[in-house]
Amino acid sequence: DKHPGKVTLSDIGKTPQGRDIPVLYFGTPNEKKKIRVWIQAGLHGNEPAGPEATCMLVDYLLNTPEGTELLRKVSLALVPIANTDGYAMQSRKSGSGYDLNRDQSKLATPEAIVLRNFYNQYAPQVVIDFHEFQPLRADYTLISTDNITNSFDAMFLYTGNLNVPQELRNLTAQTFVGNARKALDAKQLRHHDYFTTAQKFGEIVFNVGGINPRSTANAFSLGNSVAILMELRGVKIGKTSLKRRVCTAFTLAESYLKTAYDHADEVMRVTRQAAQTRNDIVVTSSPKSVDDYVLPFISMNTNQMVNVKVCANLSLESTPTLVRKRPEAYYISALQPEIARKLQELGVKVETLTVPMTLDVETYTVDFYKEEYSLFEKFYPVKVKTTVNTKQVFFPAGTFVVPMNQKNGNVAA
């Protein structure tokens, strides 16, 4: 009400329980001349620091000279609570029981579809997604005789997916994340690339970074954006250090907006060029494995820092293990409309054959198939291995065609 010329309040859709998903637009929603930034928080409903920090950010943008200056070159869409059902229940999952940050590619939830549709329409060059992580994990008891907990205020999850063009990955890691690290250093806040743990043959392995398109950092990077998932220390510690957590998130958001402001022309160029890149497809890749990766933890016995050597897989230093030539198009049977619909919801252009055609094509043959024994997000994951054969195939009218010379070709792949 106080700033009608600067900001408008709208919503981008409703949740299954009927709640609005609010969005604040700073600048014109369809502004093309300014660099477009999308910030969202609260995708997990029980992670409050991100939503609180967005309130600080609104005040900063509207009521300080520095914030006003940023809006001169930056157009911002701000979604303070993406999972409003989960937030109302203080639940990590959505109202229908899904983890929305595991649903960025299969789009099994109405919220994920709404958010992806918003992303496709707003077409941001920069995306920030705020989360919180659990600092104390049961696995930590297996790597140290001390009682240890994560020592970082923030962890950065940005893309290591090799189908994202190298220049876009460099701009994300070196310029945006690099400046964010400096901003945290200036406030004596600790940071690291995001890691989680897994057990492999009874040994604890730390997976640093990530390449899976089911989470926002990779999903939106494949959509040609500078995208990051910012993790703050917070899950299962209640209101402990809440001001510090909110300050950390605000510092990160401010840094990203300032970097977008300072490097607007470069961001425009790199993201535009990424949409035109036609590299071959990396089907699988292998992370760099390190046996003596050192991580600093906090000892809860002495309240001192302790360095622990761990086994780590570094996704940000992955190498391709299976590469296939980028096709001119994918052809999908007319009997599979669900696949075509999912691709379209992801922003991929899907055409149909108006007349039947016989073409020489490469076909995938599944040589190995294994369904997992346990449910993941209400479905059983399947692993396959395939070979590619060339043969002549008749395609009837109505066959779906996915041309790969489009800006979201990497999303399709």
Side-chain angles (χ1 to χ4, degrees), residues 176-397:
F176 277 85
V177 175
N179 287 346
R181 293 186 198 278
K182 293 175 185 176
L184 293 177
D185 287 340
K187 294 185 179 179
Q188 296 185 316
L189 295 167
R190 300 176 56 78
H191 53 84
H192 195 275
D193 289 336
Y194 178 75
F195 58 78
T196 186
T197 57
Q199 292 196 33
K200 187 175 183 180
F201 305 119
E203 183 179 27
I204 300 302
V205 177
F206 282 71
N207 295 312
V208 183
I211 62 170
N212 199 307
R214 71 188 180 203
S215 71
T216 55
N218 291 299
F220 297 136
S221 294
L222 288 165
N224 313 306
S225 299
V226 174
I228 191 163
L229 192 155
M230 292 179 175
E231 293 268 7
L232 318 163
R233 183 198 289 120
V235 172
K236 293 190 177 179
I237 63 173
K239 292 185 178 180
T240 301
S241 305
L242 183 58
K243 287 184 179 181
R244 183 184 181 104
R245 288 147 57 188
V246 173
C247 173
T248 302
F250 172 81
T251 302
L252 292 168
E254 180 188 32
S255 171
Y256 253 59
L257 288 173
K258 286 182 176 179
T259 302
Y261 178 97
D262 291 336
H263 296 267
D265 291 342
E266 183 184 4
V267 173
M268 293 277 199
R269 178 185 62 79
V270 171
T271 54
R272 185 169 55 247
Q273 191 169 305
Q276 298 168 353
T277 301
R278 304 291 180 254
N279 295 335
D280 288 343
I281 305 302
V282 178
V283 183
T284 58
S285 60
S286 178
K288 180 180 179 180
S289 182
V290 180
D291 292 330
D292 55 355
Y293 194 80
V294 177
L295 284 173
F297 289 87
I298 299 171
S299 165
M300 293 187 290
N301 294 334
T302 65
N303 202 32
Q304 300 295 315
M305 300 294 294
V306 292
N307 288 329
V308 181
K309 286 186 178 180
V310 301
C311 296
N313 292 325
L314 310 181
S315 293
L316 293 170
E317 298 180 49
S318 295
T319 53
T321 52
L322 175 59
V323 179
R324 284 182 172 147
K325 180 177 172 58
R326 189 184 191 91
E328 293 181 16
Y330 291 104
Y331 285 73
I332 303 169
S333 167
L335 300 177
Q336 302 289 343
E338 177 79 355
I339 296 175
R341 183 176 65 79
K342 292 281 186 186
L343 288 168
Q344 289 171 324
E345 288 170 345
L346 287 165
V348 175
K349 181 175 66 175
V350 180
E351 302 170 352
T352 54
L353 288 181
T354 56
V355 295
M357 300 181 71
T358 299
L359 298 170
D360 291 325
V361 296
E362 290 182 327
T363 65
Y364 295 102
T365 302
V366 176
D367 303 315
F368 171 84
Y369 173 103
K370 181 184 178 184
E371 187 175 276
E372 298 293 308
Y373 296 113
S374 56
L375 279 171
F376 174 82
E377 290 294 297
K378 303 188 181 183
F379 76 101
Y380 291 96
V382 175
K383 292 182 179 179
V384 300
K385 291 184 179 179
T386 65
T387 53
V388 177
N389 302 295
T390 302
K391 65 180 182 179
Q392 200 172 70
V393 176
F394 171 76
F395 295 102

Side-chain angles (χ1 to χ4, degrees), residues 39-52:
I39 298 177
Q40 74 170 15
L43 197 64
H44 291 148
N46 63 341
E47 298 173 4
E52 293 294 332

Side-chain angles (χ1 to χ4, degrees), residues 84-234:
T84 47
D85 285 351
Y87 192 83
M89 301 181 294
Q90 282 301 290
S91 165
R92 173 184 176 89
K93 296 189 175 183
S94 69
S96 49
Y98 284 90
D99 186 330
L100 297 182
N101 198 44
R102 305 291 184 272
D103 193 33
Q104 300 299 310
S105 54
K106 59 185 175 62
L107 300 182
T109 60
E111 294 97 329
I113 294 171
V114 163
L115 290 166
R116 186 72 197 204
N117 183 56
F118 173 71
Y119 170 82
N120 294 335
Q121 290 183 0
Y122 190 66
Q125 286 96 357
V126 179
V127 179
I128 307 168
D129 184 17
F130 279 115
H131 287 257
E132 293 189 79
F133 67 87
Q134 185 174 330
L136 182 61
R137 300 178 66 98
D139 286 348
Y140 294 170
T141 63
L142 303 178
I143 62 170
S144 174
T145 56
D146 205 347
N147 290 317
I148 57 173
T149 185
N150 191 306
S151 65
F152 300 110
D153 292 286
M155 296 201 292
F156 300 100
L157 180 55
Y158 49 100
T159 190
N161 190 299
L162 296 178
N163 290 308
V164 176
Q166 182 71 58
E167 192 174 11
L168 179 56
R169 281 183 278 143
N170 290 344
L171 178 65
T172 303
Q174 296 170 14
T175 305
F176 277 85
V177 175
N179 287 346
R181 293 186 198 278
K182 293 175 185 176
L184 293 177
D185 287 340
K187 294 185 179 179
Q188 296 185 316
L189 295 167
R190 300 176 56 78
H191 53 84
H192 195 275
D193 289 336
Y194 178 75
F195 58 78
T196 186
T197 57
Q199 292 196 33
K200 187 175 183 180
F201 305 119
E203 183 179 27
I204 300 302
V205 177
F206 282 71
N207 295 312
V208 183
I211 62 170
N212 199 307
R214 71 188 180 203
S215 71
T216 55
N218 291 299
F220 297 136
S221 294
L222 288 165
N224 313 306
S225 299
V226 174
I228 191 163
L229 192 155
M230 292 179 175
E231 293 268 7
L232 318 163
R233 183 198 289 120

